[in-house]
Amino acid sequence: LSTKFVLYISLIVGTCGAAASPKIGSLSDRYGRRWLLCLTILGGVLNEIITIACASHPNTFHYRWLLLGALCDGVCGSFIAAMAVTHSYATDCTAPQDRGVAFGYIQACLFGGIAVGPFIAAFLQRTTGTQMTVFYFALVCHLGFMLFIAFIMPESLSRKKQSRAQSTHEEFLDQAEEQTILQRLNPLVLLEPLEVIYPRGQEYKLVRRNLVLLAILSFTVFGVNMGAGPVMVFYSGYAFHWGDFEIQMFVGWTSATRVFTLIAILPLINYIFRTLPIKWARKRGEIVPKPTSTGSDNVDLYTITAGFVIEVIQYILFCLASSGKLFFVAGILGSCAGVGSPILSSALSKHVPQNKMGQLMGAIGLLHALGRVICPTV
């Protein structure tokens, strides 16, 4: 029953997020990143309030009310749209050659929270003697983050760039008015945001190929991780008799390893293969060309490939693991695959104009939301 209920929540959040994420990403191009990011967090706030109501008054609020919380979270884009807008914000503030490292820091914060969160929850529960403190703490964190973004964090997108994106969107609306009612009601309209990763025209042939391949890889990696996550938790309890403590240790240590990879290994790779050769060339008196702002270089490609290979090896070891220790080691090894994910997002961002960055990240959010629906179902 618990696995099915988790699946229902994932389906609701994923389906609604698939519809909302591209819209939110596109709106962030036209009206700035901050307020759209606040909107995505609002869904989490409403979800936490409903969760608290269900946990504190179970006789009044049935646990199925949690599905309503999932609906609120999904309609506001959930964390998928939040990450899309966050990555768009980062592209506004970083040079293309440093973008992968910036994305890595963002993901390190995400997994840092996943690693530290269980320890904080256990401490609060033991100190107060009730699980409700954990829910209230999560609500305060959501509200504090939303207030920080609304009143302290500066906007990354200038008014000029917002106006330019608004003008482009108005031209698109003028063309859309010529569509018939049947064309507008076509279910495939939901996939229209993916057009940003499939630009028309012979001159975009190579860019289109790269975008499609990178988008498929992003969908696959994210979807498999979302689908396999709950399965690993239930499987480890079934096969190795892990309890809450062992599962928390597994999640904590794998997340901590991923954080170390993102904040130490990834910047080191960037320094050795990008910054250091430029420094040596300048010392030799050579003229160093300005880094290109479009397309992926070999550092991107090799890092993405390495991350994908490590991911595959991890799942092979999961299948072969005959004990909890081997399963644990496979999880730690797989965490090193984290170097590929931020570089993958960075590589995608190098293939579209800056004024379509939110649209691109929203489209990737749509793919991730579909992966959140399809892969757990599989």
Side-chain angles (χ1 to χ4, degrees):
L1 180 60
S2 60
T3 55
K4 288 183 179 179
F5 192 72
V6 170
L7 175 61
Y8 298 153
I9 290 177
S10 182
L11 288 174
I12 291 174
V13 175
T15 303
C16 296
S21 185
K23 300 293 184 183
I24 292 173
S26 181
L27 284 171
S28 74
D29 283 334
R30 306 198 299 273
Y31 301 105
R33 316 296 188 194
R34 281 194 311 147
W35 295 110
L36 275 302
L37 189 55
C38 285
L39 175 64
T40 63
I41 300 170
L42 178 62
V45 170
L46 296 175
N47 190 21
E48 289 295 341
I49 293 174
I50 293 174
T51 301
I52 290 172
C54 293
S56 58
H57 300 88
N59 295 327
T60 305
F61 298 95
H62 195 272
Y63 73 87
R64 290 192 180 92
W65 277 80
L66 295 174
L67 298 177
L68 176 61
L71 180 64
C72 294
D73 192 20
V75 168
C76 292
S78 75
F79 86 95
I80 293 176
M83 291 300 291
V85 179
T86 302
H87 282 151
S88 300
Y89 188 103
T91 60
D92 299 335
C93 310
T94 56
Q97 65 270 19
D98 300 323
R99 198 169 288 165
V101 175
F103 287 178
Y105 288 149
I106 293 171
Q107 292 192 16
C109 292
L110 173 66
F111 285 98
I114 295 174
V116 176
F119 297 105
I120 296 177
F123 172 77
L124 291 174
Q125 186 175 344
R126 178 172 296 182
T127 303
T128 62
T130 173
Q131 291 182 337
M132 292 303 302
T133 312
V134 178
F135 297 123
Y136 286 117
F137 181 77
L139 178 60
V140 170
C141 289
H142 271 110
L143 287 172
F145 186 39
M146 187 165 65
L147 292 173
F148 170 81
I149 292 171
F151 298 107
I152 298 177
M153 190 177 78
E155 175 58 55
S156 63
L157 207 59
S158 67
R159 291 286 186 182
K160 183 178 180 180
K161 291 181 179 179
Q162 292 178 35
S163 299
R164 191 182 306 157
Q166 290 171 17
S167 300
T168 303
H169 182 68
E170 288 173 1
E171 294 175 2
F172 171 77
L173 290 179
D174 292 339
Q175 296 175 357
E177 288 180 355
E178 301 175 1
Q179 292 181 339
T180 64
I181 296 178
L182 290 178
Q183 287 175 325
R184 294 178 183 179
L185 295 178
N186 189 337
L188 294 179
V189 169
L190 294 174
L191 299 179
E192 277 187 356
L194 297 181
E195 286 184 348
V196 70
I197 62 175
Y198 198 85
R200 308 286 182 175
Q202 186 65 24
E203 68 273 21
Y204 295 112
K205 181 179 179 180
L206 296 179
V207 173
R208 183 167 58 242
R209 181 200 64 184
N210 288 1
L211 279 170
V212 170
L213 289 175
L214 290 170
I216 291 174
L217 186 56
S218 181
F219 167 82
T220 303
V221 172
F222 182 87
V224 168
N225 284 327
M226 288 299 298
V231 175
M232 285 192 291
V233 172
F234 292 117
Y235 174 76
S236 60
Y238 170 78
F240 310 122
H241 308 291
W242 282 4
D244 289 341
F245 176 79
E246 288 81 5
I247 292 174
Q248 287 180 355
M249 289 297 102
F250 177 77
V251 173
W253 278 103
T254 53
S255 299
T257 304
R258 188 175 288 259
V259 170
F260 175 78
T261 302
L262 292 171
I263 66 175
I265 304 300
L266 184 56
L268 183 63
I269 292 174
N270 193 69
Y271 178 79
I272 292 175
F273 294 103
R274 283 202 176 99
T275 306
L276 208 56
I278 293 176
K279 287 185 176 181
W280 286 345
R282 286 175 177 169
K283 283 185 177 180
R284 294 193 299 265
E286 298 177 5
I287 298 176
V288 180
K290 186 178 180 180
T292 178
S293 59
T294 58
S296 305
D297 57 18
N298 286 331
V299 179
D300 288 336
L301 299 179
Y302 292 146
T303 306
I304 293 170
T305 303
F308 190 70
V309 169
I310 294 172
E311 196 102 29
V312 172
I313 293 174
Q314 171 192 227
Y315 285 111
I316 292 175
L317 293 177
F318 278 150
C319 294
L320 299 177
S322 57
S323 67
K325 291 181 179 180
L326 293 177
F327 194 85
F328 199 99
V329 171
I332 296 293
L333 174 64
S335 300
C336 298
V339 296
S341 182
I343 299 298
L344 183 56
S345 299
S346 173
L348 278 161
S349 72
K350 294 178 181 179
H351 285 78
V352 299
Q354 184 65 32
N355 64 335
K356 292 187 177 181
M357 202 57 63
Q359 187 179 348
L360 170 69
M361 294 302 171
I364 299 303
L366 168 59
L367 290 176
H368 287 177
L370 291 175
R372 190 172 183 175
V373 172
I374 296 171
C375 295
T377 305
V378 172

